Amino acid sequence: MSSLPTDSDHQPTARDAKAAPSRRSVLMAGAAGAVVVPALSACGSGSGGDGGSGGGRLRVGVAGGSSNDTVDAHNPTDNPDIARVYNLYAGLCRFAADFSIEMALAESLEPNDAADVWTATLKEGLTFHDGSPVNADALIFTLKRITDPDKPGTSAQQLATMKRDDLKKVDERTVEIPFEEGYVNFKELCAEYAMGLVPEGYDPENPVGAGPFAFSEFTKGERSLFTAFDDFWDGRPKVDEVEIINFADESARVNALVSGEVDAIAQVPHSQIEVIESNDALQIMESESGMWLPFTMRVDKKPFDDVKVRQAFRLIVDRQKMIDQALNGHGLVGNDVYGRFDPFYDEDLPQREQDIAEARKLLKEAGYEDDLEVELVTGPINAGAEAAAQVFKEQAKQAGVTVKLKRVTSEEFYGDNYLEWTFAQDFWSARHYLSQTAQGSYPGAPFNETHWEDEEWIEIVDKARAATDDAEREKLVQQAMKIEYERGGYIIWGFPSMIDGLSKKVKGFEPSVVGHPLGGYNFRAVTVES
């Protein structure tokens, strides 16, 4: 996602696909903020294009998975969940590979001048997997299900100002969606993977959607199988079936690709890229992305309830070394602010660099002098996460901080204690700043892992969400970014490239900057040669 500010001595390495353009070159396109993003790269032959014979089954190995796995359209959490909802469901809009927004089930989605009423008109003649119509009643049912106060969906907070009791069916294909105040980012939200339309009476145990594949089989923590949907709005998928297989262990995932058990794997461990590149039957697909793997500090728990400790921990990190060591150079330096592709991303924030002397000073002022010990929870939640934890442990020693690593399985990480860890990690895909705040930083957000609740910041974000004037919204977004940059609970050290492994028999994958593997889990255009 366009180039990040970098230390002048640490420019993107030769391994990066191409030098990305400045964020100042990012173009806005309407209130939703579609963007132009940097070039992508596919290494090895056979990526992209329409080659391949079609038909058959595509077998995909995905990182993570647990007994908490779900196929619920509106409550995905980890990688396998996200892969499933991308393929079972479709929303009003979708993100293209370049992070621009395209219409999907909607023919149009437009706001009034104040952006407090949006009108959605659905494409004509669409159906769900069970043959029922994709219509206004289904859209209203979907929006009400996501915002059910008794069981809110992942996107519920982003719809907190929607007047759910005042949704208006204009005709069989048209719905007016009112909000308490202007909501300029609604179109962007409608492209999110957890916003898929479902028919009235939807049962997540027997899921029906309007995505490119229909539900067939599902075993939690193990695998799922889907069949091509002939009447998908964008054309029937090129394979007949998709099998998504969970691999919590990174080596097992690579071994499955090498042995031919699967045709493609998401998130190749950086230490095993050469294993795949050395195999004549396999290839690597790499693209820059908006994915970020933060360290998460709970601002309401010691020692991170002291802003000086949070500032010190950010100064402990040598970001380029972490990219070199944890990602084998496949990534770009971060600056503790998410929303890398946001047109309003503040490039003027000083690039934070390692400063051990200042970190020690801040820790001493906070009452810690060579005696601070913290536990860092890590696990195989995403490629590079465990390696980054080890690098942080070593870098922290320089500041007199002892880091004890607690390695857990992906199931335990996203189990009952998820969002309760005092110091941990996570993974996020690309979003614009305001959309991300609603997912991870705003009070009531479904994944507020840092327990951030800053009154000044909340007031600014609320104003930004309602601001229809671009210049005003830019000023507010940058004010909010600066507050999080100075006193937030994230250490955002870098933006890893997406690195996936493919059999050369697989054709049609296109790199995507959205921040999810395998072209944003886009399986509909893929073929597998027999």
Side-chain angles (χ1 to χ4, degrees):
M1 308 171 162
S2 56
S3 81
L4 292 165
T6 59
D7 180 341
S8 59
D9 295 325
H10 294 139
Q11 296 302 322
T13 68
R15 282 179 173 172
D16 293 322
K18 287 188 179 180
S22 164
R23 286 189 191 83
R24 300 296 186 197
S25 68
V26 173
L27 305 178
M28 293 188 62
V35 302
V36 173
V37 295
L40 309 173
S41 71
C43 305
S45 64
S47 291
D50 296 320
S53 58
R57 177 182 295 187
L58 173 68
R59 303 162 302 165
V60 180
V62 178
S66 72
S67 60
N68 296 316
D69 281 3
T70 183
V71 288
D72 191 319
H74 305 132
N75 286 284
T77 299
D78 67 357
N79 283 299
D81 292 348
I82 295 168
R84 285 185 285 268
V85 298
Y86 261 118
N87 288 280
L88 283 176
Y89 306 101
L92 294 176
C93 311
R94 70 180 181 189
F95 287 114
D98 66 355
F99 205 43
S100 61
I101 296 175
E102 303 175 335
M103 291 295 104
L105 300 182
E107 179 179 286
S108 63
L109 180 62
E110 298 297 335
N112 63 359
D113 290 343
D116 60 358
V117 178
W118 286 75
T119 301
T121 301
L122 295 160
K123 290 183 170 76
E124 190 171 3
L126 300 182
T127 65
F128 290 103
H129 299 149
D130 63 356
S132 60
V134 176
N135 58 17
D137 292 328
L139 175 55
I140 291 172
F141 175 84
T142 295
L143 292 172
K144 287 190 173 183
R145 182 177 193 270
I146 293 169
T147 55
D148 182 345
D150 295 327
K151 191 179 180 181
T154 298
S155 300
Q157 204 288 325
Q158 290 174 271
L159 291 169
T161 62
M162 184 185 75
K163 299 179 180 179
R164 75 189 298 268
D165 294 332
D166 295 329
L167 294 168
K168 181 180 178 181
K169 177 180 175 180
V170 178
D171 57 41
E172 285 302 310
R173 294 194 293 124
T174 307
V175 176
E176 288 185 357
I177 305 165
F179 293 86
E180 295 171 4
E181 56 191 9
Y183 185 18
V184 294
N185 293 99
F186 182 60
K187 185 178 290 186
E188 184 180 340
L189 170 62
C190 289
E192 292 272 359
Y193 57 81
M195 288 289 293
L197 268 66
V198 295
E200 293 182 276
Y202 170 79
D203 177 7
E205 297 300 318
N206 295 285
V208 173
F213 294 91
F215 178 81
S216 180
E217 301 174 19
F218 175 47
T219 303
K220 291 186 177 184
E222 297 181 17
R223 63 182 287 276
S224 47
L225 181 67
F226 309 127
T227 58
F229 179 41
D230 291 339
D231 296 324
F232 181 56
W233 71 270
D234 199 23
R236 185 191 189 278
K238 296 182 178 180
V239 292
D240 297 326
E241 297 177 314
V242 166
E243 183 178 16
I244 299 172
I245 305 171
N246 296 12
F247 287 96
D249 180 79
E250 292 186 336
S251 295
R253 196 161 69 249
V254 174
N255 290 338
L257 179 65
V258 171
S259 68
E261 180 184 346
V262 297
D263 306 302
I265 61 171
Q267 302 178 32
V268 174
H270 297 88
S271 61
Q272 299 195 51
I273 291 173
E274 292 183 4
V275 173
I276 293 174
E277 289 181 327
S278 65
N279 189 314
D280 291 340
L282 306 177
Q283 61 183 317
I284 289 290
M285 180 172 71
E286 177 173 1
S287 64
E288 292 182 18
S289 83
M291 170 173 281
W292 44 292
L293 301 177
F295 294 99
T296 60
M297 303 176 287
R298 274 191 63 169
V299 303
D300 62 337
K301 293 286 187 181
K302 289 186 178 297
F304 303 111
D305 58 347
D306 190 322
V307 67
K308 291 182 178 179
V309 174
R310 303 197 296 274
Q311 292 169 345
F313 270 50
R314 286 167 159 176
L315 294 173
I316 283 172
V317 182
D318 184 326
R319 293 151 196 265
Q320 188 62 47
K321 283 186 177 178
M322 186 164 285
I323 287 171
D324 292 342
Q325 295 173 12
L327 304 178
N328 282 3
H330 294 269
L332 294 173
V333 171
N335 199 28
D336 299 324
V337 179
Y338 45 79
R340 178 186 170 199
F341 282 154
D342 195 306
F344 303 144
Y345 191 97
D346 191 351
E347 291 186 90
D348 295 328
L349 291 172
Q351 175 59 51
R352 189 164 276 139
E353 301 176 18
Q354 186 184 60
D355 189 336
I356 296 300
E358 182 64 17
R360 282 183 173 273
K361 177 176 175 290
L362 288 166
L363 290 172
K364 183 177 180 180
E365 291 174 0
Y368 304 100
E369 187 172 8
D370 295 331
D371 63 349
L372 178 57
E373 181 177 302
V374 297
E375 179 181 79
L376 172 57
V377 181
T378 186
I381 59 171
N382 212 87
E386 290 179 287
Q390 183 63 45
V391 173
F392 184 87
K393 175 182 177 179
E394 296 304 315
Q395 293 183 352
K397 290 178 181 178
Q398 301 173 60
V401 176
T402 299
V403 176
K404 293 191 173 182
L405 299 183
K406 178 178 180 178
R407 292 183 172 87
V408 300
T409 64
S410 58
E411 178 166 8
E412 184 178 354
F413 190 94
Y414 290 111
D416 293 340
N417 289 320
Y418 179 49
L419 307 180
E420 299 301 322
W421 309 117
T422 299
F423 187 38
Q425 296 170 282
D426 209 341
F427 72 91
W428 288 95
S429 61
R431 288 183 176 88
H432 288 170
Y433 184 79
L434 292 176
S435 292
Q436 181 59 44
T437 65
Q439 284 293 299
S441 296
Y442 200 88
F447 308 113
N448 189 348
E449 54 211 336
T450 69
H451 294 242
W452 171 250
E453 189 168 357
D454 183 290
E455 292 301 323
E456 180 185 7
W457 179 86
I458 293 169
E459 182 178 355
I460 292 170
V461 168
D462 286 345
K463 289 179 180 178
R465 288 178 176 176
T468 57
D469 180 77
D470 289 347
E472 179 187 1
R473 192 162 70 258
E474 178 176 21
K475 180 180 178 181
L476 291 165
V477 165
Q478 293 188 353
Q479 287 176 355
M481 285 181 175
K482 185 176 181 182
I483 291 173
E484 276 202 279
Y485 171 85
E486 292 175 343
R487 56 182 190 256
Y490 283 122
I491 302 172
I492 302 174
W493 53 271
F495 295 86
S497 298
M498 286 278 89
I499 302 175
D500 302 312
L502 312 175
S503 164
K504 289 184 179 178
K505 293 182 178 181
V506 172
K507 314 290 183 180
F509 273 119
E510 294 184 1
S512 167
V513 300
V514 175
H516 287 129
L518 297 168
Y521 297 120
N522 180 14
F523 302 150
R524 62 186 173 80
V526 175
T527 59
V528 183
E529 292 178 342
S530 57

